[in-house]
Structures are given as C-alpha cells and as structure tokens.
C-alpha cells in the first residue's frame, strides 16, 4: 500500500490484464494502470505506479516511483 501517496494523480487500477514475473521483479497490467513490483524479504511491494509505455525502446513513464 502507498502510505503517503494520497492518490498522487494515479488512475484507478481495475481488473488484472496481465502479470509478467522476472525473478524478483514483476510487471502488473491492470485495466486502468500499469504497476511495477519488486519482491523484498517482507513480500511483494509496488515500486512504481501510474506507468505508461513510451514509444520504441524508451522506458515506461511512471507518476509514482519508489524503492
């Protein structure tokens, strides 16, 4: 959960469209958002939200980023 995010202009997530796991990192595609997750000792945590794919090989642009 994003304790101090207060919405931060994030879209509503909606239902799950896709999940891609790469070791200790994951990309979660929701109907209205894309999230990046990382696995920590305590479990899976959202490390970026409000992400939009950029054209070509450019990384995603995310509204909220953390570690």
């Amino acid at each position: 959960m994003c304790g101090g995010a207060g919405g931060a202009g994030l879209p509503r997530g909606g239902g799950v469209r896709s999940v891609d796991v790469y070791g200790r990192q994951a990309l979660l595609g929701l109907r209205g958002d894309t999230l990046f997750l990382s696995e920590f000792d305590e479990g899976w945590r959202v490390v970026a939200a409000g992400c939009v794919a950029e054209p070509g090989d450019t990384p995603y642009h995310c509204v909220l980023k953390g570690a």
Side-chain angles (χ1 to χ4, degrees), residues 1-58:
M1 182 163 280
C2 297
L10 296 173
R12 285 192 161 283
V16 176
R17 291 181 304 126
S18 63
V19 177
D20 296 306
V21 179
Y22 308 94
R24 295 175 61 101
Q25 297 184 335
L27 175 64
L28 177 61
L30 304 175
R31 286 200 177 116
D33 196 1
T34 300
L35 307 174
F36 286 89
L37 295 89
S38 288
E39 185 179 21
F40 295 90
D41 291 338
E42 304 83 27
W44 288 92
R45 305 281 187 210
V46 174
V47 294
C51 302
V52 177
E54 296 290 333
D57 290 335
T58 306

